[in-house]
Amino acid sequence: MLLFSKNDNSLFSPEFCLLMGVTFLAFCNISLFYGLNDYLKANDIPSFWRGVLIGLEPFTALVFRPLISPFLTVRNSVSIVAAALLILMSALFSYSVADTLWTLAIVRIAHGLGFVLLVSALAMLLVASLPPDRVGQGFGVFAIAGLLPYAILPPLMERLLPLAGSEPRIYAMFAPVLLLALASLPYLRKRILQSERDNIAEFRRPTLADIRADLREPGIGRLLTANGLLFTATTVVFFFMKDRLVTLDTLNAGLFFSVSTAGTIGVRVFCGKLLDRMDRFAMLLMVLLALATVIALFSLAGEASTLLILAGAYGICMGLAVPQLNAAMFEISPPQLRGFNINLMLFTMDAGYVFGPLIAGGLLAMGTSTAHLFVWFAVCPLLGGILAGSLRRR
């Protein structure tokens, strides 16, 4: 049942647009940190501890998301968003005064806690604002709102750095921008209170029995596994493609990722309605098998033109797969567990980002070449496609 909008066919309701604005600001505060490694290196932080500090933010999300998800409801999500924004603003200000390893670690953990609270609560509100027949398109727009900061903030920061003098000063400058997100919350709270009387089941917190029954459903487990496999596979592209391209000396890594990101955003902008017109599970089977093929071909391609074509194909596959996986989870979930299950999808994404590099590191330590890594990781979307496709019989 749609909670916020009276018109079930309207995706871009005021509530949905406000949520997308808050989502954009949420991911802006993460995309600011693309140069964190360089800042830590300039401050003589050893390479091992740089890795620990960078990883503390996503690791915090991995640990806390399953702990907080059972307690999130539509009713309390606006308050949690407000608390998360305050934590994030405090963290952004604190980078400029954190001058030891331990204080930086505390700030990174606080930053991760604020971000996981914010995105988890936004996911709960998002599923309450999606019209039933435009779920795939809605998740596609949500993903665009999360991607755009990575295209906007890094070049903007490069212009600001000579004026600001250091990265932490820019982090502190950005903190007050989050007040814009805080300003939207009273309206969202008012709309929730207006809707609550007619949708009591949607607002109640899931019981332990609900969660146990939910996790026993084979479809839920298959989609969670497929999502985790997908994001495990993406880590080899994100973290090891630059090394592959440097070895080949045929293509700039920045151009590769620009083309792949353009493919992802483009397919979500121009093919959004397609996501809700096709059989989701059949589409996931085809797209994830295509993605497995593309990732495997990264190990063979050597020409710049071929790599750019594959980059575009990779972006298109990701642009279709991620919103469809979330939309499929939305469709097979009981209404009161949709937000909980979408947060479990985010948890498997966190797990992919943590364990993917660990698996890759282990394979490299065993003597696997960087090129062959892509072949090994292509197995992940292949298995994910088979799992998602098996749900067509439901």
Side-chain angles (χ1 to χ4, degrees):
M1 183 181 293
L2 187 62
L3 299 185
F4 288 144
S5 177
K6 294 181 180 179
N7 181 358
D8 284 358
N9 294 318
S10 175
L11 174 63
F12 294 99
S13 64
E15 297 79 18
F16 180 82
C17 292
L18 281 175
L19 287 173
M20 293 307 98
V22 177
T23 299
F24 174 80
L25 292 174
F27 282 90
C28 279
N29 100 87
I30 292 297
S31 62
L32 284 171
F33 289 83
Y34 75 98
L36 182 60
N37 180 66
D38 292 333
Y39 168 72
L40 296 174
K41 185 177 181 180
N43 283 271
D44 300 320
I45 303 294
S47 58
F48 171 78
W49 290 109
R50 293 202 301 270
V52 170
L53 289 171
I54 292 169
L56 269 177
E57 188 271 329
F59 181 75
T60 302
L62 178 69
V63 171
F64 279 95
R65 201 185 306 273
L67 298 178
I68 64 177
S69 293
F71 300 96
L72 290 173
T73 65
V74 176
R75 182 190 293 114
N76 66 22
S77 287
V78 172
S79 297
I80 291 173
V81 168
L85 289 169
L86 293 174
I87 293 171
L88 286 174
M89 283 190 283
S90 299
L92 290 170
F93 280 122
S94 298
Y95 279 98
S96 57
V97 296
D99 54 3
T100 68
L101 188 62
W102 292 109
T103 53
L104 277 168
I106 292 170
V107 172
R108 290 294 289 166
I109 291 170
H111 194 168
L113 177 62
F115 187 67
V116 71
L117 285 171
L118 179 58
V119 175
S120 298
L122 285 174
M124 186 67 64
L125 294 170
L126 173 67
V127 298
S129 69
L130 293 177
D133 58 349
R134 300 186 72 177
V135 175
Q137 188 179 5
F139 279 112
V141 175
F142 178 71
I144 291 173
L147 274 175
L148 281 177
Y150 293 93
I152 297 172
L153 267 295
L156 179 60
M157 273 195 70
E158 290 300 312
R159 290 181 175 272
L160 290 175
L161 265 174
L163 301 174
S166 70
E167 286 86 347
R169 290 182 181 176
I170 297 179
Y171 305 156
M173 289 167 55
F174 181 78
V177 177
L178 294 180
L179 291 172
L180 294 172
L182 275 174
S184 69
L185 300 186
Y187 175 79
L188 289 175
R189 184 187 298 278
K190 179 182 177 182
R191 294 292 292 119
I192 287 172
L193 291 175
Q194 290 172 348
S195 301
E196 186 173 3
R197 290 171 300 180
D198 300 322
N199 301 287
I200 299 299
E202 303 278 358
F203 285 84
R204 73 174 179 87
R205 175 182 157 189
T207 65
L208 186 59
D210 289 335
I211 294 172
R212 285 176 177 169
D214 182 57
L215 295 177
R216 283 196 294 266
E217 278 290 320
I220 302 296
R222 291 179 202 178
L223 284 178
L224 289 173
T225 304
N227 198 59
L229 287 168
L230 170 65
F231 282 100
T232 299
T234 65
T235 61
V236 74
V237 179
F238 188 77
F239 291 108
F240 296 96
M241 180 55 73
K242 182 175 180 178
D243 183 55
R244 169 72 174 149
L245 297 176
V246 168
T247 302
L248 292 171
D249 195 26
T250 56
L251 184 66
N252 178 272
L255 180 59
F256 175 92
F257 286 110
S258 293
V259 170
S260 66
T261 303
T264 299
I265 293 176
V267 76
R268 287 171 181 168
V269 170
F270 297 108
C271 303
K273 293 184 179 180
L274 179 67
L275 296 171
D276 295 306
R277 291 177 178 170
M278 291 185 64
D279 182 307
R280 296 198 197 283
F281 303 105
M283 187 176 187
L284 280 169
L285 174 62
M286 293 186 293
V287 169
L288 290 173
L289 293 183
L291 181 64
T293 303
V294 169
I295 292 175
L297 288 175
F298 283 141
S299 66
L300 301 176
E303 296 294 327
S305 57
T306 305
L307 286 164
L308 286 176
I309 292 171
L310 289 174
Y314 173 82
I316 290 170
C317 289
M318 290 297 295
L320 295 171
V322 175
Q324 278 296 54
L325 279 167
N326 285 297
M329 179 62 82
F330 180 97
E331 283 192 347
I332 70 171
S333 299
Q336 74 275 16
L337 288 168
R338 282 171 176 164
F340 175 77
N341 284 337
I342 294 301
N343 271 305
L344 286 183
M345 295 287 275
L346 292 171
F347 170 72
T348 60
M349 178 188 72
D350 297 333
Y353 280 123
V354 171
F355 293 109
L358 292 177
I359 295 169
L363 288 170
L364 290 171
M366 292 167 57
T368 303
S369 67
T370 302
H372 288 157
L373 275 182
F374 294 96
V375 176
W376 283 104
F377 276 77
V379 175
C380 293
L382 174 65
L383 294 175
I386 293 170
L387 285 170
S390 69
L391 295 174
R392 292 182 64 192
R393 295 189 293 272
R394 286 176 59 85

